[in-house]
């Protein structure tokens, strides 16, 4: 158990507020609390999962089961910019494979890897429901569509 | 051009703000509902409107509500399904971003009809921006008496909470969503009991899709007869829906049209036809789970019953067009990888079957096919469909069954010759 893992007062206040939105004693706040913990600690390490389990009065296994089920919960550290390129049908029909290959080449990493300077992590994902702008990707919170090599350059070169 | 109802003000600056929504007649439907209708009368009105679930199932909305017991010792819940995830679909993203107050108003009308005082919006985790916009709109609605205690001074109370998902397609399935909302992994539940009786927190629950709820303010304001009349000639259809159109069309995007529009009109009149003047080869008419149609089958109307008669489905309204140079084996492989990734793992036929299908298609695509692969694909899909707890299994099997049935020669060619025979297979 890691004593250093603890919510800041601001996060603690958010945590308390989340609990009020669901019936008392239910496990329902777990997803919002895990989102909060990920914002706070960057990723959900085993120690963070233990901390959340203690806060929620749940077995660690219950927390781990949920963390491992959902793709947006990060089990390991990622780069500052988390690049998720959609590879579902509409994006494949419009050339996402070339985009993935180009980003991989440009950043010098394979899909699933992080650049040595910890700036970028590249992964491929299933449909992000923005097929009208295919091929597209999500970087952290934002969607970027109509991707071409030039547009990828413009987007990535502008991220500091 | 048909009348726009849901998307009419998408181009208006700050359409997501309360002030702009009110200026365009916002919350008048709720006001009229609370002033002039009893809850039962709302249910009747919605039944008469022919509104059907626009998330995918097409179930009549008023009928769904009527399954919830009038009296309940436990609190009743509304859950808004904003977990948009069906490949090829992106309409709810626009509604959440452009018209969050329309959703809040619709949720309030549904809650009043069913006697609900607590509602959750389960929004897909990737929609961070949309969740923030919706949260802002909810706060505005509370501040102006459209949510909270004694709404519009009419003695009706409703609390609305935004709940973010965390990346799992299965959570768009009704009972998978309920499990997820309860803080667990999204494993669908056996039915019965149906959520109308035993849903969220073991309480009676109504679940409706974003777009379905957004229709309610308009139905209540302008009447069921007007809404049903928008789909002339289709006795069990009403209103418009937002078709998400993507793939090889010239103008991919959202198109709000009456359900009686044909697939040909959507592709050629609205979405500008096929890119590069190429021929259309195939279309998925209602999101990735809907059985594929060939270019010869696109004169079908897009209402739920006409599509069902054509052995496919209206689903989520996601239209994906594929041109003459598309390799159907490759296209199906992309979908199969999706289903294999998203299978929740609870039922053996689906967990194992989706993996096998993806592997067989992978070897066909990569020039490693074996004789008999086409038959095996079909056999595996046939053994998933109908044999799982939730409709995901069917949704995973239908594309395989329909692609193989309609484009059999391509699959056989890949299996026998270990290569593709589609000219200029550049994708």
């Amino acid at each position: 158990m890691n004593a250093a893992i603890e919510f800041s007062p601001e996060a603690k206040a958010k945590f308390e507020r989340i609990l009020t939105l669901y019936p008392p004693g239910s496990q329902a706040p777990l997803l919002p609390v895990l989102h909060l913990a990920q914002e706070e600690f960057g990723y959900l390490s085993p120690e963070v999962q233990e901390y959340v389990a203690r806060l929620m009065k749940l077995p660690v296994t219950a927390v781990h089961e949920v963390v491992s089920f959902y793709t947006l919960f990060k089990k390991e550290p990622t780069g500052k910019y988390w690049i998720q390129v959609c590879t579902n049908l509409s994006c494949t029909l419009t050339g996402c494979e070339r985009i993935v290959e180009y980003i991989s080449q440009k950043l010098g990493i394979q899909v699933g890897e992080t650049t040595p300077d910890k700036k970028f992590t590249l992964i491929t994902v299933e449909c992000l429901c923005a097929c009208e702008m295919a091929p597209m990707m999500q970087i952290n919170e934002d969607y970027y569509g109509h991707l071409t090599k030039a547009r990828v350059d413009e987007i990535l070169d502008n991220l500091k | 051009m048909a009348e726009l109802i849901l998307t009419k003000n998408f181009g208006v600056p700050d359409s997501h703000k309360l002030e702009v929504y009110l200026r365009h007649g916002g919350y008048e439907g709720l006001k009229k509902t609370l002033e002039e209708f009893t809850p039962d009368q709302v249910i009747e009105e919605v039944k008469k409107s022919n509104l059907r679930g626009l998330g995918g199932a097409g179930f009549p909305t008023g009928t769904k509500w009527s399954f919830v017991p009038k009296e309940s010792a436990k609190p009743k819940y509304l859950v808004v399904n904003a977990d948009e995830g069906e490949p090829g679909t992106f309409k709810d993203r626009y509604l959440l971003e452009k018209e969050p107050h329309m959703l809040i108003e619709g949720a309030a009308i549904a809650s009043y009809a069913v006697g609900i005082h607590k509602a959750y919006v389960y929004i897909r985790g990737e929609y961070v921006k949309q969740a923030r916009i919706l949260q802002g709109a909810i706060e505005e609605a509370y501040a102006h008496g459209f949510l909270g205690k004694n709404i519009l001074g009419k003695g009706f109370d409703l609390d609305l909470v935004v709940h973010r998902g965390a990346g799992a397609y299965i959570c768009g399935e009704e009972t998978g969503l309920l499990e997820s909302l309860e803080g667990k992994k999204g494993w669908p539940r056996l039915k019965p009991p149906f959520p109308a009786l035993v849903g969220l927190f073991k309480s009676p629950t109504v679940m409706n899709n974003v777009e379905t709820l957004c229709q309610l303010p308009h139905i209540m304001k302008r009447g069921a007869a007007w809404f049903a009349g928008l789909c002339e000639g289709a006795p069990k259809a009403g209103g418009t829906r937002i078709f998400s159109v993507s793939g090889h069309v010239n103008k991919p995007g959202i198109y709000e049209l009456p359900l009686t529009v044909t697939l040909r009109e959507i592709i050629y009149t609205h979405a500008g036809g096929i890119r590069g003047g190429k021929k259309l080869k195939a279309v998925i008419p209602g999101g990735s789970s809907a059985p594929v149609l060939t270019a010869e089958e696109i004169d079908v109307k897009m209402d739920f019953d006409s599509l069902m008669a054509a052995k496919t489905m209206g689903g989520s309204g996601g239209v994906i067009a594929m041109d003459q140079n598309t390799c159907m084996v490759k296209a199906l492989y992309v979908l199969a990888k999706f289903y294999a990734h998203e299978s929740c793992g609870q039922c053996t036929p689906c967990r194992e079957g989706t993996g096998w299908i993806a592997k067989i298609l992978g070897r066909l695509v990569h020039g490693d096919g074996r004789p008999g692969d086409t038959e095996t694909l079909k056999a595996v899909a046939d053994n998933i469909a109908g044999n799982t707890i939730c409709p995901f299994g069917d949704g995973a099997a239908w594309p395989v069954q329909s692609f193989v049935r309609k484009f059999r020669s391509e699959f056989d060619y890949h299996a026998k010759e270990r290569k593709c025979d589609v000219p200029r297979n550049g994708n």
Side-chain angles (χ1 to χ4, degrees), chain B residues 160-414:
Chain B
L160 185 56
V161 172
V162 177
H163 182 101
R164 283 181 62 215
Y169 170 74
I170 195 62
C171 295
E173 194 276 335
E174 187 171 51
T175 60
L177 192 156
L178 291 174
E179 285 290 301
S180 178
L181 184 46
E182 290 183 6
K184 295 174 265 180
K185 63 178 189 259
W187 272 20
R189 299 173 181 171
L190 266 174
K191 293 190 274 192
F194 289 90
L197 299 178
V198 184
L200 184 63
F201 308 127
K202 298 192 167 61
S203 297
T205 301
V206 166
M207 192 178 303
N208 289 131
N209 165 259
V210 170
E211 187 184 8
T212 312
L213 290 167
C214 284
Q215 302 278 14
L216 295 173
H218 308 283
I219 292 171
M220 295 313 293
K221 196 157 107 181
R222 302 172 69 175
W226 159 78
F227 192 79
L230 293 170
C231 286
E232 227 185 324
K236 288 183 189 165
T240 59
R241 77 181 300 185
I242 305 175
F243 294 100
S244 310
V245 188
S246 67
H248 291 141
V249 290
N250 276 312
K251 294 192 290 178
I254 46 164
Y255 297 93
E256 182 185 3
L257 295 159
L259 276 75
T260 41
V261 67
T262 66
L263 187 49
R264 181 181 300 280
E265 287 169 311
I266 290 180
I267 294 171
Y268 286 97
T269 310
H270 300 284
I274 303 303
R275 297 195 320 192
K278 290 183 184 176
K279 280 190 196 149
L280 177 70
K281 181 174 189 175
V283 199
I284 293 170
S288 63
S289 304
V292 69
L293 295 173
T294 67
E296 289 71 44
E297 296 175 305
I298 62 169
D299 289 307
V300 63
K301 285 186 180 175
M302 294 296 279
D303 63 280
F304 291 101
D305 302 314
S306 299
L307 284 165
M308 198 179 285
K311 296 194 166 49
T312 180
M313 63 177 195
S316 60
V319 173
I320 306 174
M322 291 169 266
D323 73 19
Q324 64 193 73
N325 297 129
T326 309
C327 167
M328 298 309 282
V329 181
K330 170 81 180 288
L332 184 60
Y333 175 49
V334 173
L335 293 181
K337 279 193 292 183
F338 164 74
Y339 288 105
H341 181 261
E342 298 295 341
S343 174
C344 79
Q346 185 173 201
C347 309
T348 310
C350 175
R351 181 187 63 239
E352 301 301 320
T354 53
W356 292 349
I357 288 171
K359 276 181 207 151
I360 295 167
L361 285 164
R363 69 180 185 230
L364 287 174
V365 165
H366 297 120
D368 207 14
R370 303 175 195 167
D373 271 353
T374 315
E375 272 311 309
T376 311
L377 276 176
K378 197 179 157 301
V380 176
D382 290 349
N383 278 300
I384 300 175
N387 292 326
T388 55
I389 285 175
C390 88
F392 180 102
D394 300 331
W398 290 336
V400 180
Q401 293 168 329
S402 61
F403 271 65
V404 168
R405 188 168 67 246
K406 294 183 182 180
F407 300 95
R408 170 108 201 192
S409 63
E410 284 187 40
F411 289 85
D412 287 342
Y413 192 89
H414 274 259

Side-chain angles (χ1 to χ4, degrees), chain A residues 21-22 65 70 90 132, chain B residues 93-94 120 163 184-185 246:
Chain A
L21 303 174
Y22 303 88
E65 184 180 38
Y70 296 93
S90 296
E132 82 281 23
Chain B
R93 197 183 94 240
Y94 277 89
Y120 292 93
H163 182 101
K184 295 174 265 180
K185 63 178 189 259
S246 67

Side-chain angles (χ1 to χ4, degrees), chain A residues 21-23 27-28 30 35 65-66 69-72 88 90 93 97 127 129-133 138 141 143, chain B residues 89-90 93-94 118 120 124 126-127 132 163 165-167 180-186 246 248 330 427:
Chain A
L21 303 174
Y22 303 88
Q27 191 175 320
L30 184 54
H35 278 302
E65 184 180 38
V66 166
F69 188 80
Y70 296 93
T71 56
L72 290 183
N88 207 292
S90 296
L93 293 173
E97 286 158 313
C127 191
C129 289
C131 322
E132 82 281 23
M133 51 171 103
Q138 181 168 19
E141 296 186 356
Y143 278 21
Chain B
T89 315
F90 38 90
R93 197 183 94 240
Y94 277 89
K118 179 98 187 198
Y120 292 93
R124 81 174 281 176
E126 289 87 346
Y127 286 181
R132 201 173 287 138
H163 182 101
S180 178
L181 184 46
E182 290 183 6
K184 295 174 265 180
K185 63 178 189 259
S246 67
H248 291 141
K330 170 81 180 288
N427 296 316

Side-chain angles (χ1 to χ4, degrees), chain A residues 59-94:
Chain A
V60 182
T61 48
V63 174
H64 184 69
E65 184 180 38
V66 166
V67 169
S68 60
F69 188 80
Y70 296 93
T71 56
L72 290 183
F73 292 139
K74 298 175 187 172
K75 291 94 193 165
E76 23 190 86
T78 57
K80 183 178 176 192
Y81 296 104
W82 199 40
I83 307 173
Q84 309 180 69
V85 187
C86 174
T87 54
N88 207 292
L89 186 53
S90 296
C91 284
T92 300
L93 293 173
T94 48

